[in-house]
Amino acid sequence: MAKREAFLQAVCRDKAPDFLNFIQRHKDSTDPFDLVELLQELPEKQKEQLWEKLARLLTDTLQGFPMEKWSRGLDEDSGDEMEAEVPPALMETMSIIDGVTLVATASIAVVQEDVIYDGLLECAHVLNIVVGALPSSEAMVKISIQRFCESWWEKGLPGRENLGKTAFLMLLERNLLLRSSVADMKRLWNLHAVLLTFDFESEASEEVKDLLLQCFLSVQHIKREEGRRFLISLFSWNVNFIKMIHGTIKNQIQFFPKFIMEHVGEMYFRAWKKATGPFLEEIETGCLQDYMHHGVHLHRSSPVHAKVRQILSYFHNQKLRQGVDEMLFRLYQPILWRALKARNSEVRANAALLFTEAFPIQDPSFNNEAMDSAIQKQFEVLFSLLEDPQPLVRSTGILGVCRITSKYWEMIPPAILTDFLKKMVIDLAADVSCADVRCAVFKCMTLVVDNKLSHPLLEQLLPLLKNSLHDNSEKVRVAVVELLLKIKAVRAAKFWKVCTMEHLLARLETDSHSVARRLVNLLFNSFFPVNQSEEVWCERCVALIQMNPTAARRFYQYAHEHTAPTNIAKLMLMIRRCLNACIQQAGKEEQDETESSNKENSSILDDVLSITDTATMASLLEVIVILWRSIRRSLELNEEALQYTTSKFASILPEYFRVFKEERCTVPLMLIASFMPAAAVPTFSCGVLSKLRNLEKGAVESQYGTLIDCLCRWGQAGHVVEVVTDWLTDALPQKKSRADSERRVRILETAEAKPELALDYVEYMLTCTMNREFLLSVHQKKLVQLLKALGALKVVFYAYISSSEMGPCQIDKETAMRAYSLHGRLSIHLQHKYLDDRSYLQVLEKSAAWVAEKILPFLVVPSEDTVSDQQLTTTKQVVEDRLTVLRDVVMVGLADADFKGQALHFCIAVLHAEKGYMCVPSLLSLLKEVAEDCLAQSARSQSEELSVLLSVVANVFQKILEAAARRLQKQREEGLQLCHSIHMVLGEFLNVIQDWQSADASVAPAVFSTIVAALVVELSHVLRKVSSVEELEPPESVNDLPPLSSALLTVILRSPGLIRSLMREINESVESEAIDGVTGLTAVLYILAVVIQTAKSDQSHFKDTAICIQRQLHKYYGVTAEDSRNIERTIYESSVKIVKEILLV
């Protein structure tokens, strides 16, 4: 009793601290004071008294600190309301408002009809006004008032409309501004009836419309059931609002994730199910029929097309629901049937997709006869789709027919089913006009296979498809194998009856990676039945080898993807046992023995295999190599398994080498040996190096490759390097000296140097990734010696080029040039390995300097006094080789600024040579890499050094164009060949300049100003040579331009970005009057005319250039006073005509 009295007395302005203390005690979960219990215990009169005092407290508080002062009080301290220090008066006011709200909210639950609650009603009215003026820092107070308004609405008390609107708007804003929780969405749904209190037509409702439409843009609302329930309810507010909802969703569709579209379709469907009268009509005609129209007429490439189809597919999937069939029939009637006969093939294809998804399109009210007639017409439409002249429509028809037959197999007449499948299997699977159609047959046939009722018919028809396994299109072959995998999975038929094993293995033997992997998956259980014994595995392996040895090798390349490494190892050991048994059987036959003495090596294959069958023996050894290679990493991780496998093969390998002496057997045996440590096969490993050394000149890779692999894997790559270095050193030309002429006793070296073979060894080691790593791990001193030996052979081709004498030599110029090329490659790899040591870059710089000094002087026109044609060809090859090496250094990111500077210096030296233009393609390729590297570094951090390099790049490019222009003037045929040869690399260079133009502001303008100058100069030269009016024909295409201009514009017109850069430079040149004279301006107009004919982009900037040229041409108007036969006047008049044509475009 005392507690109630104390609380009632505290509800006044004078005892505000006591009131706030009670509120705090209520919020404290550890305090026994509870407002709800207190209100329930209060008599009716005391409740009325409490509510009156509550209203008075609220009014007095607001009078003491009016709402006008709230924001002013914050502004006095800080401009940022959220960071301001709250004044004490404001803090107390907010606390009292919060407390009053709390008490008022608790009071709603105890309000009864016979109780007078005018005071509470007054509190509600005041709080509804106050909430809009609360500072943003008082978020908790706002939430309290919002909860009060919600409770008032739910209780249905007087004035609920205004309070409900307040709660609805606040909750709506909260859902949109903050990350919506499920609880907030549920509360919003509970207030959805408030929406009916808003007048849709009034301006006051505009805010709520905007907020509601924003909800349809929120993925959070759409993907949650609570949010969708609320959004669906909005379709019933006003018919015009449905139009606004539909427009909002349509505008947002392209930004929605794919998974959301299923929920969007669900919203439309549920809204349609609930709607009646004008609302239903608007959803059907304004929304669904609109989507149907777009589903038919949108381009397939549109990002919206697939999402529109998803919405419609939701309705198609609900065909079993009442009313859906009738609605689809009615709405599709004016759209679909016309679209299926449209002239546009894409429209027909889109319509076919919708038609087959919605099949059958029928009105349930039809009688049986009308229904059968409608279905028959739709079958005829399906047949027409399969016979459509456009491949896209046929492919879509195949997909639709397969969907329909799979879904409605038992309802479609057998004759029609047979006709459908025969049409696809016999005709469309062999459609020679389009691979996509053939591919569609096999991809979509998997849908039919899913229906078990189709299996008997398919078992008869599918064998007709066996030749499609050899289709010339890879994607068709992939689809065929995927179909066979499906047939195998569902046990529709025996896949080897559809495509015979002979055909499958033939494709496995020769086909691409993607097809081969699927074929192995298909055949795996047949040739590697993991559930059976290891002997069966070996039997199947032998059978596969005897059927197709090459296919067997490919099969076991991918076998590790389908089983555990343990099974692979077991098969290897089982093959070993089989081979051992064959060897023992051969020995027993020689000794005339009849009983086995070694049970471990006995095999049921003893009567099938023989060591005299070299092909099978070699194939089994190759399979062991393939299997071991596939699980090598797994074996390395399991030391015990590795040791066991190694010991088993090491113990028998010498015997294998003794028995299997044919080359095809020795190669896999050496590879097996290479998988094991050298100590495990001492007999073999000791002789590998000598075998390598004793190979004859002209040995092929199959003879030395395996030996090098063995030595590299055993860590003996250094021995190979020593052999190679010795051979190359011994092959150097011998210098004559006085000591040679003196008589002395010498021991003659009998070992023959084999430089060509040495280079084969080096190239093989550099080319193979794994061997290259072993090579580069050799001691640096040995590698340097090898590098010097390779570089020293340059004297051979220099002597040939310069026609100078040299001592006796065992090497020709081609071998010397090859050695010099390998010298460059090895230098690059060494620089990559020793990044902190610049010495190898210096080697390459000195090499380029040597070529510039010694070789470039011979890059001249052949004559009796200079060089022969053969010497010139050799010179060109040497120069191009150095350019290629320099390019590779830059391309892999090893070049520093000094190296790039030396490379550009070498480029300039080449261009200064008399026949340097012959190397322009290689030179331009190097220039492209230097430009790209410098621009990439400039994008990260600009420097003066990089700017200088880029200016040199632009300068070299200018010299290249000058060289091409000179060659066209002197030797037109050579010039034309040069222009043709630089097409590709010129495009790459210009694209680099274009793509990185933001990294440096100077290089792109310099390059494109050079291009503009080259174009204008060449075209002006052609115009000056015009002697009659008939010769003055404006170009209609790139082919009508002079050679250099044609080559440049052909490259530029392939890229919209390059066109923009060219036009930007032309504009600047014309506006700055850098191009003057009638012929110069006419040349620019010729360029514009050709570009406009080709470019499909915005042509407004062309008109700006044309207007500028028109102003410049006015300066030369006086030429019109000349004689009409004057060429300059004719050129002027032609220019004016071209300008007018451009401006009228």
Side-chain angles (χ1 to χ4, degrees), residues 192 234 254 286 378 418 458 467 512 526 528 617 672-673 875 944 1023 1027 1049 1054 1102 1140:
H192 75 278
L234 302 182
Q254 60 180 320
Q378 291 178 42
T418 305
L458 289 177
N467 291 328
S512 62
S526 300
F528 204 144
M617 296 295 107
I672 293 172
T875 302
E944 184 178 351
L1023 287 169
S1027 58
L1049 282 180
R1054 293 174 184 162
F1102 298 147
K1140 290 180 178 178

Side-chain angles (χ1 to χ4, degrees), residues 1034-1143:
E1036 296 181 359
S1037 68
V1038 174
N1039 297 328
D1040 298 330
L1041 295 173
L1044 183 58
S1045 300
S1046 176
L1048 289 170
L1049 282 180
T1050 298
V1051 171
I1052 290 172
L1053 292 176
R1054 293 174 184 162
S1055 166
L1058 293 179
I1059 293 174
R1060 287 193 296 270
S1061 296
L1062 177 69
M1063 294 310 303
R1064 190 183 305 117
E1065 188 58 39
I1066 288 176
N1067 281 339
E1068 292 179 4
S1069 299
V1070 173
E1071 289 176 359
S1072 64
E1073 300 185 7
I1075 300 175
D1076 57 0
V1078 175
T1079 55
L1081 294 171
T1082 305
V1084 174
L1085 286 171
Y1086 279 10
I1087 298 169
L1088 280 182
V1090 172
V1091 173
I1092 289 173
Q1093 289 292 329
T1094 310
K1096 298 179 181 180
S1097 56
D1098 179 25
Q1099 299 187 353
S1100 59
H1101 49 284
F1102 298 147
K1103 294 184 178 181
D1104 295 339
T1105 305
I1107 291 171
C1108 187
I1109 293 174
Q1110 190 179 44
R1111 287 199 301 268
Q1112 297 288 341
L1113 283 172
H1114 281 315
K1115 298 178 182 179
Y1116 305 97
Y1117 181 74
V1119 77
T1120 57
E1122 300 290 336
D1123 185 70
S1124 60
R1125 291 172 294 176
N1126 184 283
I1127 295 301
E1128 189 173 3
R1129 174 181 173 177
T1130 305
I1131 293 173
Y1132 174 84
E1133 291 173 347
S1134 173
S1135 301
V1136 172
K1137 181 180 178 183
I1138 295 173
V1139 169
K1140 290 180 178 178
E1141 290 176 354
I1142 293 173
L1143 294 176

Side-chain angles (χ1 to χ4, degrees), residues 710 759 980 1072 1132:
C710 291
L759 297 182
H980 180 73
S1072 64
Y1132 174 84

Side-chain angles (χ1 to χ4, degrees), residues 751-764:
E752 181 187 4
K754 304 168 186 175
E756 295 86 356
L757 199 54
L759 297 182
D760 288 337
Y761 293 175
V762 174
E763 186 164 13
Y764 180 78

Side-chain angles (χ1 to χ4, degrees), residues 665-910:
C665 293
T666 56
V667 171
L669 285 174
M670 286 188 286
L671 287 172
I672 293 172
S674 71
F675 294 146
M676 298 182 281
V681 282
T683 308
F684 171 72
S685 62
C686 292
V688 171
L689 187 61
S690 62
K691 287 181 182 178
L692 198 64
R693 190 188 292 271
N694 294 328
L695 284 176
E696 297 295 330
K697 290 182 180 179
V700 295
E701 185 179 312
S702 61
Q703 293 176 281
Y704 60 75
T706 309
L707 297 173
I708 293 175
D709 291 342
C710 291
L711 290 170
C712 287
R713 291 185 176 115
W714 293 337
Q716 298 176 16
H719 297 333
V720 183
V721 171
E722 290 174 0
V723 171
V724 169
T725 305
D726 290 344
W727 282 351
L728 293 176
T729 305
D730 293 343
L732 284 171
Q734 301 297 319
K735 294 182 180 180
K736 293 183 178 181
S737 64
R738 291 183 60 189
D740 293 333
S741 62
E742 296 177 359
R743 290 186 176 184
R744 61 178 61 191
V745 178
R746 301 185 187 88
I747 299 174
L748 296 177
E749 177 64 47
T750 59
E752 181 187 4
K754 304 168 186 175
E756 295 86 356
L757 199 54
L759 297 182
D760 288 337
Y761 293 175
V762 174
E763 186 164 13
Y764 180 78
M765 296 175 76
L766 285 175
T767 304
C768 177
T769 304
M770 184 173 64
N771 289 345
R772 183 168 62 242
E773 293 176 0
F774 288 118
L775 171 64
L776 297 176
S777 65
V778 173
H779 194 279
Q780 190 174 3
K781 184 178 179 181
K782 291 184 179 181
L783 292 174
V784 170
Q785 291 173 349
L786 173 60
L787 192 66
K788 288 180 179 178
L790 289 168
L793 293 176
K794 64 188 177 186
V795 298
V796 176
F797 61 75
Y798 174 66
Y800 172 78
I801 292 171
S802 61
S803 302
S804 58
E805 294 183 4
M806 66 176 180
C809 181
Q810 303 178 32
I811 189 169
D812 57 18
K813 63 178 176 61
E814 286 78 14
T815 305
M817 290 170 60
R818 185 180 168 206
Y820 200 52
S821 178
L822 289 172
H823 170 270
R825 286 176 60 184
L826 182 57
S827 299
I828 295 173
H829 288 297
L830 289 172
Q831 182 60 44
H832 182 262
K833 181 173 177 63
Y834 303 103
L835 289 172
D836 297 333
D837 185 1
R838 197 181 181 278
S839 58
Y840 300 106
L841 284 181
Q842 292 174 347
V843 169
L844 292 170
E845 289 171 354
K846 291 177 182 177
S847 173
W850 180 84
V851 172
E853 180 185 354
K854 299 290 187 181
I855 304 298
L856 281 181
F858 298 97
L859 197 62
V860 294
V861 177
S863 68
E864 293 183 1
D865 300 329
T866 55
V867 295
S868 65
D869 289 332
Q870 292 79 11
Q871 288 172 317
L872 176 62
T873 301
T874 303
T875 302
K876 175 177 175 288
Q877 290 173 352
V878 173
V879 174
E880 287 184 335
D881 176 75
R882 282 306 93 182
L883 287 169
T884 302
V885 169
L886 296 175
R887 180 204 66 189
D888 291 344
V889 175
V890 179
M891 184 168 59
V892 297
L894 296 176
D896 55 17
D898 290 341
F899 185 88
K900 284 179 281 192
Q902 292 292 330
L904 292 173
H905 179 73
F906 183 69
C907 291
I908 294 172
V910 172

Side-chain angles (χ1 to χ4, degrees), residues 321-584:
R321 304 281 291 272
Q322 185 178 1
V324 176
D325 252 343
E326 185 275 333
M327 178 268 291
L328 292 175
F329 175 82
R330 180 163 36 84
L331 298 186
Y332 271 131
Q333 192 72 28
I335 297 174
L336 196 58
W337 309 116
R338 182 183 300 174
L340 285 167
K341 298 178 181 178
R343 295 181 63 183
N344 187 306
S345 61
E346 195 168 7
V347 171
R348 295 200 304 276
N350 291 342
L353 270 177
L354 297 179
F355 166 59
T356 53
E357 273 192 1
F359 181 92
I361 300 176
Q362 59 189 359
D363 189 344
S365 62
F366 282 170
N367 58 35
N368 291 340
E369 185 178 348
M371 188 75 75
D372 291 343
S373 175
I375 297 299
Q376 183 59 40
K377 287 181 180 178
Q378 291 178 42
F379 284 144
E380 293 170 4
V381 170
L382 289 174
F383 275 110
S384 69
L385 293 175
L386 297 180
E387 295 173 349
D388 194 275
Q390 283 297 324
L392 178 63
V393 182
R394 294 201 298 277
S395 300
T396 307
I398 291 167
L399 173 61
V401 167
C402 289
R403 277 179 178 168
I404 292 166
T405 53
S406 176
K407 190 173 182 181
Y408 301 107
W409 184 276
E410 60 273 25
M411 301 170 64
I412 300 175
I416 292 178
L417 286 172
T418 305
D419 289 345
F420 275 144
L421 293 180
K422 280 186 175 180
K423 179 67 178 176
M424 290 190 290
V425 170
I426 296 174
D427 295 341
L428 296 175
D431 190 327
V432 294
S433 64
C434 183
D436 287 335
V437 175
R438 302 195 300 274
C439 187
V441 171
F442 299 102
K443 281 187 172 181
C444 301
M445 195 67 76
T446 57
L447 300 174
V448 182
V449 173
D450 281 329
N451 191 317
K452 292 184 178 180
L453 297 175
S454 68
H455 295 178
L457 180 57
L458 289 177
E459 199 167 2
Q460 300 174 29
L461 294 176
L462 287 176
L464 299 174
L465 300 173
K466 63 181 179 181
N467 291 328
S468 296
L469 186 64
H470 305 287
D471 197 284
N472 57 11
S473 171
E474 182 183 352
K475 62 183 176 182
V476 176
R477 299 196 300 275
V478 168
V480 172
V481 182
E482 291 283 4
L483 176 60
L484 293 176
L485 285 167
K486 184 72 173 183
I487 291 169
K488 177 185 174 183
V490 302
R491 299 181 178 179
K494 304 296 185 183
F495 70 85
W496 57 86
K497 291 185 178 179
V498 177
C499 290
T500 63
M501 195 63 70
E502 182 183 0
H503 286 262
L504 293 170
L505 294 180
R507 285 272 39 113
L508 178 58
E509 176 185 358
T510 60
D511 220 322
S512 62
H513 173 75
S514 57
V515 179
R517 288 186 65 183
R518 289 171 171 84
L519 283 170
V520 170
N521 186 18
L522 179 70
L523 300 172
F524 187 76
N525 288 336
S526 300
F527 293 107
F528 204 144
V530 292
N531 295 327
Q532 298 188 38
S533 67
E534 296 162 26
E535 282 197 354
V536 176
W537 301 354
C538 191
E539 289 172 18
R540 300 289 176 88
C541 177
V542 173
L544 180 55
I545 287 171
Q546 292 177 342
M547 292 170 72
N548 191 319
T550 308
R553 288 196 292 273
R554 295 207 74 190
F555 176 85
Y556 289 107
Q557 281 178 9
Y558 301 106
H560 68 280
E561 298 178 2
H562 304 280
T563 189
T566 306
N567 290 335
I568 299 291
K570 287 179 180 178
L571 177 58
M572 289 165 49
L573 295 171
M574 191 62 209
I575 296 173
R576 169 189 165 276
R577 288 177 59 191
C578 177
L579 293 171
N580 293 354
C582 291
I583 294 171
Q584 290 183 1

